Amino acid sequence: DTEVTQTPKHLVMGMTNKKSLKCEQHMGHRAMYWYKQKAKKPPELMFVYSYEKLSINESVPSRFSPECPNSSLLNLHLHALQPEDSALYLCASSQVAGNTQYFGPGTRLTVL
Amino acid sequence: GQSLEQPSEVTAVEGAIVQINCTYQTSGFYGLSWYQQHDGGAPTFLSYNALDGLEETGRFSSFLSRSDSYGYLLLQELQMKDSASYFCAAPDSNYQLIWGAGTKLIIKP
């Protein structure tokens, strides 16, 4: 099984809402990632969980908070987002950090 | 700093061969990867080079020259479905991927 799953596929939310994005992998990978991608741009790393340690891109605002309930699951909690946060949010995993990354299909987020 | 440079757009004809170049500047080198992304889709891993030379996977090949800090992706027998964006990427010293800006491949019939 080389699949990374993400839910939901699409999400529309207001600026006062709280929502969560979910990601799951069953490949036994020890590193999981959240990326944000704007149109015609490369993915931009937000968070990395590697061997249960969190690394944060310091430019990511605190209205995004990751949670790793176990080694197969990675959530991204969203609170008080801004319209500029509208983007494709991608989850990925790799056997170890820096190795080949496998991406989920992404969540298309629109903030109104 | 670390950066990867690749052309923004390449155009080719169906059935032809196309090469997408990538030059990199990294502090330390941990390999060069290539990803394909169709419009509206997620990136998909294509190829990885850790050592100099050519890696072949079907119609796609990737080449690396560490002395030149250069690599390329070669696509043969182009098909319309190969129209996509192609990204080169390399891990930094924290083993986090640094991405090129992407090359949009346009294929004409």
Side-chain angles (χ1 to χ4, degrees), chain A residues 40-72:
Chain A
K40 302 186 190 304
K41 297 288 187 183
E44 186 182 331
L45 183 64
M46 301 175 74
F47 304 102
V48 181
Y49 265 97
S50 179
Y51 289 93
E52 286 121 42
K53 280 190 176 178
L54 170 65
S55 297
I56 300 172
N57 179 338
E58 293 183 359
S59 67
V60 175
S62 59
R63 53 186 184 266
F64 295 92
S65 58
E67 178 201 11
C68 193
N70 60 53
S71 58
S72 300

PDB file of all heavy atoms in Angstrom, chain A residues 40-72:
ATOM      1  N   LYS A  40       0.548  27.599  -9.412  1.00  0.00           N
ATOM      2  CA  LYS A  40       1.756  27.859 -10.197  1.00  0.00           C
ATOM      3  C   LYS A  40       3.008  28.058  -9.325  1.00  0.00           C
ATOM      4  O   LYS A  40       3.987  28.686  -9.773  1.00  0.00           O
ATOM      5  CB  LYS A  40       1.568  29.067 -11.113  1.00  0.00           C
ATOM      6  CG  LYS A  40       0.398  28.924 -12.078  1.00  0.00           C
ATOM      7  CD  LYS A  40       0.350  30.082 -13.046  1.00  0.00           C
ATOM      8  CE  LYS A  40      -0.935  30.087 -13.861  1.00  0.00           C
ATOM      9  NZ  LYS A  40      -1.178  28.852 -14.603  1.00  0.00           N
ATOM     10  N   LYS A  41       2.975  27.554  -8.091  1.00  0.00           N
ATOM     11  CA  LYS A  41       4.127  27.640  -7.188  1.00  0.00           C
ATOM     12  C   LYS A  41       4.491  26.242  -6.714  1.00  0.00           C
ATOM     13  O   LYS A  41       3.652  25.343  -6.720  1.00  0.00           O
ATOM     14  CB  LYS A  41       3.790  28.519  -5.976  1.00  0.00           C
ATOM     15  CG  LYS A  41       3.482  29.958  -6.315  1.00  0.00           C
ATOM     16  CD  LYS A  41       4.722  30.705  -6.717  1.00  0.00           C
ATOM     17  CE  LYS A  41       4.427  32.182  -6.886  1.00  0.00           C
ATOM     18  NZ  LYS A  41       5.618  32.921  -7.359  1.00  0.00           N
ATOM     19  N   PRO A  42       5.732  26.054  -6.252  1.00  0.00           N
ATOM     20  CA  PRO A  42       6.075  24.752  -5.667  1.00  0.00           C
ATOM     21  C   PRO A  42       5.441  24.608  -4.290  1.00  0.00           C
ATOM     22  O   PRO A  42       5.042  25.604  -3.670  1.00  0.00           O
ATOM     23  CB  PRO A  42       7.607  24.814  -5.559  1.00  0.00           C
ATOM     24  CG  PRO A  42       7.919  26.261  -5.488  1.00  0.00           C
ATOM     25  CD  PRO A  42       6.872  26.969  -6.299  1.00  0.00           C
ATOM     26  N   PRO A  43       5.371  23.380  -3.785  1.00  0.00           N
ATOM     27  CA  PRO A  43       4.877  23.189  -2.417  1.00  0.00           C
ATOM     28  C   PRO A  43       5.787  23.907  -1.424  1.00  0.00           C
ATOM     29  O   PRO A  43       7.005  23.944  -1.594  1.00  0.00           O
ATOM     30  CB  PRO A  43       4.942  21.669  -2.225  1.00  0.00           C
ATOM     31  CG  PRO A  43       4.965  21.103  -3.605  1.00  0.00           C
ATOM     32  CD  PRO A  43       5.669  22.101  -4.441  1.00  0.00           C
ATOM     33  N   GLU A  44       5.175  24.427  -0.386  1.00  0.00           N
ATOM     34  CA  GLU A  44       5.900  25.170   0.642  1.00  0.00           C
ATOM     35  C   GLU A  44       5.749  24.410   1.962  1.00  0.00           C
ATOM     36  O   GLU A  44       4.636  24.205   2.450  1.00  0.00           O
ATOM     37  CB  GLU A  44       5.264  26.554   0.759  1.00  0.00           C
ATOM     38  CG  GLU A  44       5.939  27.526   1.671  1.00  0.00           C
ATOM     39  CD  GLU A  44       5.157  28.843   1.707  1.00  0.00           C
ATOM     40  OE1 GLU A  44       4.506  29.170   0.696  1.00  0.00           O
ATOM     41  OE2 GLU A  44       5.169  29.497   2.747  1.00  0.00           O
ATOM     42  N   LEU A  45       6.864  23.968   2.526  1.00  0.00           N
ATOM     43  CA  LEU A  45       6.819  23.147   3.728  1.00  0.00           C
ATOM     44  C   LEU A  45       6.300  23.944   4.922  1.00  0.00           C
ATOM     45  O   LEU A  45       6.772  25.053   5.193  1.00  0.00           O
ATOM     46  CB  LEU A  45       8.208  22.599   4.042  1.00  0.00           C
ATOM     47  CG  LEU A  45       8.306  21.655   5.225  1.00  0.00           C
ATOM     48  CD1 LEU A  45       7.517  20.370   4.970  1.00  0.00           C
ATOM     49  CD2 LEU A  45       9.756  21.349   5.533  1.00  0.00           C
ATOM     50  N   MET A  46       5.326  23.349   5.637  1.00  0.00           N
ATOM     51  CA  MET A  46       4.798  23.985   6.840  1.00  0.00           C
ATOM     52  C   MET A  46       5.338  23.278   8.091  1.00  0.00           C
ATOM     53  O   MET A  46       5.846  23.926   8.995  1.00  0.00           O
ATOM     54  CB  MET A  46       3.275  23.918   6.836  1.00  0.00           C
ATOM     55  CG  MET A  46       2.614  24.590   5.658  1.00  0.00           C
ATOM     56  SD  MET A  46       0.831  24.347   5.655  1.00  0.00           S
ATOM     57  CE  MET A  46       0.319  25.444   6.983  1.00  0.00           C
ATOM     58  N   PHE A  47       5.154  21.965   8.138  1.00  0.00           N
ATOM     59  CA  PHE A  47       5.527  21.190   9.331  1.00  0.00           C
ATOM     60  C   PHE A  47       6.096  19.837   8.910  1.00  0.00           C
ATOM     61  O   PHE A  47       5.708  19.287   7.889  1.00  0.00           O
ATOM     62  CB  PHE A  47       4.306  20.920  10.226  1.00  0.00           C
ATOM     63  CG  PHE A  47       3.557  22.143  10.665  1.00  0.00           C
ATOM     64  CD1 PHE A  47       2.375  22.503  10.050  1.00  0.00           C
ATOM     65  CD2 PHE A  47       4.046  22.919  11.697  1.00  0.00           C
ATOM     66  CE1 PHE A  47       1.676  23.628  10.456  1.00  0.00           C
ATOM     67  CE2 PHE A  47       3.354  24.049  12.113  1.00  0.00           C
ATOM     68  CZ  PHE A  47       2.173  24.406  11.490  1.00  0.00           C
ATOM     69  N   VAL A  48       6.993  19.337   9.751  1.00  0.00           N
ATOM     70  CA  VAL A  48       7.522  17.991   9.571  1.00  0.00           C
ATOM     71  C   VAL A  48       7.431  17.270  10.905  1.00  0.00           C
ATOM     72  O   VAL A  48       7.834  17.807  11.942  1.00  0.00           O
ATOM     73  CB  VAL A  48       9.017  18.004   9.156  1.00  0.00           C
ATOM     74  CG1 VAL A  48       9.509  16.577   8.967  1.00  0.00           C
ATOM     75  CG2 VAL A  48       9.226  18.821   7.916  1.00  0.00           C
ATOM     76  N   TYR A  49       6.913  16.057  10.890  1.00  0.00           N
ATOM     77  CA  TYR A  49       7.006  15.162  12.045  1.00  0.00           C
ATOM     78  C   TYR A  49       7.940  14.036  11.639  1.00  0.00           C
ATOM     79  O   TYR A  49       7.678  13.312  10.690  1.00  0.00           O
ATOM     80  CB  TYR A  49       5.644  14.568  12.414  1.00  0.00           C
ATOM     81  CG  TYR A  49       4.913  15.319  13.492  1.00  0.00           C
ATOM     82  CD1 TYR A  49       3.940  16.244  13.160  1.00  0.00           C
ATOM     83  CD2 TYR A  49       5.204  15.103  14.827  1.00  0.00           C
ATOM     84  CE1 TYR A  49       3.272  16.946  14.146  1.00  0.00           C
ATOM     85  CE2 TYR A  49       4.534  15.801  15.825  1.00  0.00           C
ATOM     86  CZ  TYR A  49       3.564  16.727  15.474  1.00  0.00           C
ATOM     87  OH  TYR A  49       2.898  17.408  16.450  1.00  0.00           O
ATOM     88  N   SER A  50       9.036  13.920  12.360  1.00  0.00           N
ATOM     89  CA  SER A  50       9.991  12.868  12.057  1.00  0.00           C
ATOM     90  C   SER A  50      10.384  12.206  13.360  1.00  0.00           C
ATOM     91  O   SER A  50      10.894  12.882  14.261  1.00  0.00           O
ATOM     92  CB  SER A  50      11.216  13.453  11.340  1.00  0.00           C
ATOM     93  OG  SER A  50      12.153  12.443  11.057  1.00  0.00           O
ATOM     94  N   TYR A  51      10.150  10.919  13.451  1.00  0.00           N
ATOM     95  CA  TYR A  51      10.420  10.177  14.683  1.00  0.00           C
ATOM     96  C   TYR A  51       9.815  10.895  15.890  1.00  0.00           C
ATOM     97  O   TYR A  51      10.471  11.095  16.906  1.00  0.00           O
ATOM     98  CB  TYR A  51      11.922   9.961  14.853  1.00  0.00           C
ATOM     99  CG  TYR A  51      12.475   8.973  13.857  1.00  0.00           C
ATOM    100  CD1 TYR A  51      13.012   9.407  12.649  1.00  0.00           C
ATOM    101  CD2 TYR A  51      12.434   7.604  14.099  1.00  0.00           C
ATOM    102  CE1 TYR A  51      13.494   8.498  11.716  1.00  0.00           C
ATOM    103  CE2 TYR A  51      12.919   6.693  13.177  1.00  0.00           C
ATOM    104  CZ  TYR A  51      13.447   7.144  11.994  1.00  0.00           C
ATOM    105  OH  TYR A  51      13.929   6.260  11.069  1.00  0.00           O
ATOM    106  N   GLU A  52       8.540  11.287  15.739  1.00  0.00           N
ATOM    107  CA  GLU A  52       7.751  11.924  16.786  1.00  0.00           C
ATOM    108  C   GLU A  52       8.262  13.289  17.213  1.00  0.00           C
ATOM    109  O   GLU A  52       7.856  13.811  18.256  1.00  0.00           O
ATOM    110  CB  GLU A  52       7.614  11.009  18.016  1.00  0.00           C
ATOM    111  CG  GLU A  52       6.649   9.855  17.771  1.00  0.00           C
ATOM    112  CD  GLU A  52       7.315   8.504  17.941  1.00  0.00           C
ATOM    113  OE1 GLU A  52       8.102   8.357  18.895  1.00  0.00           O
ATOM    114  OE2 GLU A  52       7.051   7.612  17.114  1.00  0.00           O
ATOM    115  N   LYS A  53       9.151  13.876  16.447  1.00  0.00           N
ATOM    116  CA  LYS A  53       9.607  15.237  16.742  1.00  0.00           C
ATOM    117  C   LYS A  53       9.058  16.175  15.688  1.00  0.00           C
ATOM    118  O   LYS A  53       9.107  15.886  14.495  1.00  0.00           O
ATOM    119  CB  LYS A  53      11.129  15.310  16.730  1.00  0.00           C
ATOM    120  CG  LYS A  53      11.787  14.810  17.988  1.00  0.00           C
ATOM    121  CD  LYS A  53      13.264  15.159  17.974  1.00  0.00           C
ATOM    122  CE  LYS A  53      13.909  14.755  19.274  1.00  0.00           C
ATOM    123  NZ  LYS A  53      15.357  15.037  19.286  1.00  0.00           N
ATOM    124  N   LEU A  54       8.570  17.328  16.152  1.00  0.00           N
ATOM    125  CA  LEU A  54       7.975  18.293  15.250  1.00  0.00           C
ATOM    126  C   LEU A  54       8.991  19.354  14.863  1.00  0.00           C
ATOM    127  O   LEU A  54       9.680  19.911  15.714  1.00  0.00           O
ATOM    128  CB  LEU A  54       6.782  18.976  15.942  1.00  0.00           C
ATOM    129  CG  LEU A  54       6.166  20.186  15.226  1.00  0.00           C
ATOM    130  CD1 LEU A  54       5.534  19.756  13.910  1.00  0.00           C
ATOM    131  CD2 LEU A  54       5.141  20.877  16.124  1.00  0.00           C
ATOM    132  N   SER A  55       9.066  19.633  13.568  1.00  0.00           N
ATOM    133  CA  SER A  55       9.844  20.770  13.074  1.00  0.00           C
ATOM    134  C   SER A  55       8.874  21.727  12.396  1.00  0.00           C
ATOM    135  O   SER A  55       7.994  21.299  11.645  1.00  0.00           O
ATOM    136  CB  SER A  55      10.894  20.324  12.055  1.00  0.00           C
ATOM    137  OG  SER A  55      11.827  19.471  12.653  1.00  0.00           O
ATOM    138  N   ILE A  56       9.045  22.995  12.687  1.00  0.00           N
ATOM    139  CA  ILE A  56       8.114  24.006  12.202  1.00  0.00           C
ATOM    140  C   ILE A  56       8.837  24.969  11.278  1.00  0.00           C
ATOM    141  O   ILE A  56       9.936  25.430  11.601  1.00  0.00           O
ATOM    142  CB  ILE A  56       7.506  24.798  13.377  1.00  0.00           C
ATOM    143  CG1 ILE A  56       6.751  23.855  14.326  1.00  0.00           C
ATOM    144  CG2 ILE A  56       6.585  25.889  12.888  1.00  0.00           C
ATOM    145  CD1 ILE A  56       6.301  24.526  15.602  1.00  0.00           C
ATOM    146  N   ASN A  57       8.193  25.308  10.154  1.00  0.00           N
ATOM    147  CA  ASN A  57       8.668  26.421   9.348  1.00  0.00           C
ATOM    148  C   ASN A  57       8.245  27.684  10.097  1.00  0.00           C
ATOM    149  O   ASN A  57       7.055  27.926  10.291  1.00  0.00           O
ATOM    150  CB  ASN A  57       8.026  26.355   7.961  1.00  0.00           C
ATOM    151  CG  ASN A  57       8.451  27.498   7.060  1.00  0.00           C
ATOM    152  OD1 ASN A  57       8.887  28.544   7.539  1.00  0.00           O
ATOM    153  ND2 ASN A  57       8.309  27.315   5.770  1.00  0.00           N
ATOM    154  N   GLU A  58       9.198  28.483  10.528  1.00  0.00           N
ATOM    155  CA  GLU A  58       8.901  29.597  11.427  1.00  0.00           C
ATOM    156  C   GLU A  58       8.039  30.672  10.785  1.00  0.00           C
ATOM    157  O   GLU A  58       7.500  31.528  11.483  1.00  0.00           O
ATOM    158  CB  GLU A  58      10.196  30.182  11.964  1.00  0.00           C
ATOM    159  CG  GLU A  58      10.918  29.214  12.887  1.00  0.00           C
ATOM    160  CD  GLU A  58      12.172  29.798  13.491  1.00  0.00           C
ATOM    161  OE1 GLU A  58      12.495  30.962  13.177  1.00  0.00           O
ATOM    162  OE2 GLU A  58      12.828  29.092  14.275  1.00  0.00           O
ATOM    163  N   SER A  59       7.887  30.612   9.465  1.00  0.00           N
ATOM    164  CA  SER A  59       7.031  31.606   8.813  1.00  0.00           C
ATOM    165  C   SER A  59       5.545  31.217   8.855  1.00  0.00           C
ATOM    166  O   SER A  59       4.692  32.007   8.456  1.00  0.00           O
ATOM    167  CB  SER A  59       7.472  31.782   7.358  1.00  0.00           C
ATOM    168  OG  SER A  59       7.211  30.601   6.622  1.00  0.00           O
ATOM    169  N   VAL A  60       5.233  30.022   9.349  1.00  0.00           N
ATOM    170  CA  VAL A  60       3.834  29.568   9.378  1.00  0.00           C
ATOM    171  C   VAL A  60       3.125  30.228  10.553  1.00  0.00           C
ATOM    172  O   VAL A  60       3.584  30.138  11.696  1.00  0.00           O
ATOM    173  CB  VAL A  60       3.752  28.033   9.504  1.00  0.00           C
ATOM    174  CG1 VAL A  60       2.299  27.587   9.652  1.00  0.00           C
ATOM    175  CG2 VAL A  60       4.389  27.376   8.290  1.00  0.00           C
ATOM    176  N   PRO A  61       1.985  30.880  10.298  1.00  0.00           N
ATOM    177  CA  PRO A  61       1.273  31.556  11.392  1.00  0.00           C
ATOM    178  C   PRO A  61       0.689  30.554  12.385  1.00  0.00           C
ATOM    179  O   PRO A  61       0.408  29.407  12.042  1.00  0.00           O
ATOM    180  CB  PRO A  61       0.150  32.318  10.675  1.00  0.00           C
ATOM    181  CG  PRO A  61       0.357  32.153   9.234  1.00  0.00           C
ATOM    182  CD  PRO A  61       1.380  31.098   8.989  1.00  0.00           C
ATOM    183  N   SER A  62       0.435  31.030  13.604  1.00  0.00           N
ATOM    184  CA  SER A  62      -0.042  30.155  14.678  1.00  0.00           C
ATOM    185  C   SER A  62      -1.489  29.718  14.473  1.00  0.00           C
ATOM    186  O   SER A  62      -1.971  28.845  15.210  1.00  0.00           O
ATOM    187  CB  SER A  62       0.083  30.870  16.025  1.00  0.00           C
ATOM    188  OG  SER A  62      -0.670  32.059  16.010  1.00  0.00           O
ATOM    189  N   ARG A  63      -2.172  30.277  13.499  1.00  0.00           N
ATOM    190  CA  ARG A  63      -3.537  29.829  13.219  1.00  0.00           C
ATOM    191  C   ARG A  63      -3.550  28.434  12.579  1.00  0.00           C
ATOM    192  O   ARG A  63      -4.610  27.836  12.415  1.00  0.00           O
ATOM    193  CB  ARG A  63      -4.274  30.836  12.339  1.00  0.00           C
ATOM    194  CG  ARG A  63      -3.585  31.227  11.062  1.00  0.00           C
ATOM    195  CD  ARG A  63      -4.350  32.333  10.371  1.00  0.00           C
ATOM    196  NE  ARG A  63      -3.794  32.696   9.076  1.00  0.00           N
ATOM    197  CZ  ARG A  63      -2.921  33.693   8.917  1.00  0.00           C
ATOM    198  NH1 ARG A  63      -2.517  34.395   9.959  1.00  0.00           N
ATOM    199  NH2 ARG A  63      -2.453  33.966   7.704  1.00  0.00           N
ATOM    200  N   PHE A  64      -2.386  27.921  12.256  1.00  0.00           N
ATOM    201  CA  PHE A  64      -2.223  26.540  11.804  1.00  0.00           C
ATOM    202  C   PHE A  64      -1.515  25.768  12.916  1.00  0.00           C
ATOM    203  O   PHE A  64      -0.444  26.197  13.382  1.00  0.00           O
ATOM    204  CB  PHE A  64      -1.355  26.460  10.543  1.00  0.00           C
ATOM    205  CG  PHE A  64      -1.956  27.111   9.340  1.00  0.00           C
ATOM    206  CD1 PHE A  64      -1.675  28.439   9.053  1.00  0.00           C
ATOM    207  CD2 PHE A  64      -2.779  26.405   8.491  1.00  0.00           C
ATOM    208  CE1 PHE A  64      -2.230  29.052   7.943  1.00  0.00           C
ATOM    209  CE2 PHE A  64      -3.337  26.995   7.370  1.00  0.00           C
ATOM    210  CZ  PHE A  64      -3.059  28.325   7.096  1.00  0.00           C
ATOM    211  N   SER A  65      -2.085  24.638  13.343  1.00  0.00           N
ATOM    212  CA  SER A  65      -1.405  23.840  14.364  1.00  0.00           C
ATOM    213  C   SER A  65      -1.506  22.359  14.011  1.00  0.00           C
ATOM    214  O   SER A  65      -2.595  21.832  13.787  1.00  0.00           O
ATOM    215  CB  SER A  65      -1.973  24.100  15.763  1.00  0.00           C
ATOM    216  OG  SER A  65      -3.343  23.817  15.784  1.00  0.00           O
ATOM    217  N   PRO A  66      -0.362  21.684  13.957  1.00  0.00           N
ATOM    218  CA  PRO A  66      -0.362  20.259  13.612  1.00  0.00           C
ATOM    219  C   PRO A  66      -0.554  19.404  14.849  1.00  0.00           C
ATOM    220  O   PRO A  66      -0.283  19.826  15.973  1.00  0.00           O
ATOM    221  CB  PRO A  66       1.034  20.059  13.028  1.00  0.00           C
ATOM    222  CG  PRO A  66       1.882  21.029  13.784  1.00  0.00           C
ATOM    223  CD  PRO A  66       0.997  22.192  14.129  1.00  0.00           C
ATOM    224  N   GLU A  67      -1.019  18.189  14.582  1.00  0.00           N
ATOM    225  CA  GLU A  67      -1.166  17.207  15.659  1.00  0.00           C
ATOM    226  C   GLU A  67      -0.853  15.842  15.076  1.00  0.00           C
ATOM    227  O   GLU A  67      -1.318  15.507  13.985  1.00  0.00           O
ATOM    228  CB  GLU A  67      -2.595  17.212  16.204  1.00  0.00           C
ATOM    229  CG  GLU A  67      -2.838  16.177  17.301  1.00  0.00           C
ATOM    230  CD  GLU A  67      -4.323  15.851  17.460  1.00  0.00           C
ATOM    231  OE1 GLU A  67      -5.133  16.258  16.602  1.00  0.00           O
ATOM    232  OE2 GLU A  67      -4.650  15.160  18.428  1.00  0.00           O
ATOM    233  N   CYS A  68      -0.056  15.066  15.791  1.00  0.00           N
ATOM    234  CA  CYS A  68       0.305  13.731  15.322  1.00  0.00           C
ATOM    235  C   CYS A  68      -0.154  12.705  16.362  1.00  0.00           C
ATOM    236  O   CYS A  68       0.615  12.364  17.255  1.00  0.00           O
ATOM    237  CB  CYS A  68       1.808  13.652  15.089  1.00  0.00           C
ATOM    238  SG  CYS A  68       2.332  12.200  14.161  1.00  0.00           S
ATOM    239  N   PRO A  69      -1.396  12.202  16.277  1.00  0.00           N
ATOM    240  CA  PRO A  69      -1.910  11.260  17.272  1.00  0.00           C
ATOM    241  C   PRO A  69      -1.116   9.954  17.339  1.00  0.00           C
ATOM    242  O   PRO A  69      -0.982   9.373  18.408  1.00  0.00           O
ATOM    243  CB  PRO A  69      -3.339  10.997  16.799  1.00  0.00           C
ATOM    244  CG  PRO A  69      -3.677  12.106  15.882  1.00  0.00           C
ATOM    245  CD  PRO A  69      -2.386  12.537  15.241  1.00  0.00           C
ATOM    246  N   ASN A  70      -0.635   9.494  16.185  1.00  0.00           N
ATOM    247  CA  ASN A  70       0.242   8.313  16.157  1.00  0.00           C
ATOM    248  C   ASN A  70       1.059   8.369  14.876  1.00  0.00           C
ATOM    249  O   ASN A  70       0.907   9.298  14.077  1.00  0.00           O
ATOM    250  CB  ASN A  70      -0.569   7.009  16.275  1.00  0.00           C
ATOM    251  CG  ASN A  70      -1.576   6.834  15.147  1.00  0.00           C
ATOM    252  OD1 ASN A  70      -1.223   6.905  13.966  1.00  0.00           O
ATOM    253  ND2 ASN A  70      -2.830   6.610  15.502  1.00  0.00           N
ATOM    254  N   SER A  71       1.885   7.375  14.657  1.00  0.00           N
ATOM    255  CA  SER A  71       2.839   7.451  13.547  1.00  0.00           C
ATOM    256  C   SER A  71       2.176   7.357  12.180  1.00  0.00           C
ATOM    257  O   SER A  71       2.821   7.600  11.170  1.00  0.00           O
ATOM    258  CB  SER A  71       3.893   6.350  13.684  1.00  0.00           C
ATOM    259  OG  SER A  71       3.271   5.083  13.706  1.00  0.00           O
ATOM    260  N   SER A  72       0.896   7.003  12.126  1.00  0.00           N
ATOM    261  CA  SER A  72       0.199   6.888  10.847  1.00  0.00           C
ATOM    262  C   SER A  72      -0.691   8.086  10.540  1.00  0.00           C
ATOM    263  O   SER A  72      -1.162   8.223   9.409  1.00  0.00           O
ATOM    264  CB  SER A  72      -0.691   5.635  10.830  1.00  0.00           C
ATOM    265  OG  SER A  72       0.069   4.473  11.009  1.00  0.00           O
TER     266      SER A  72
END
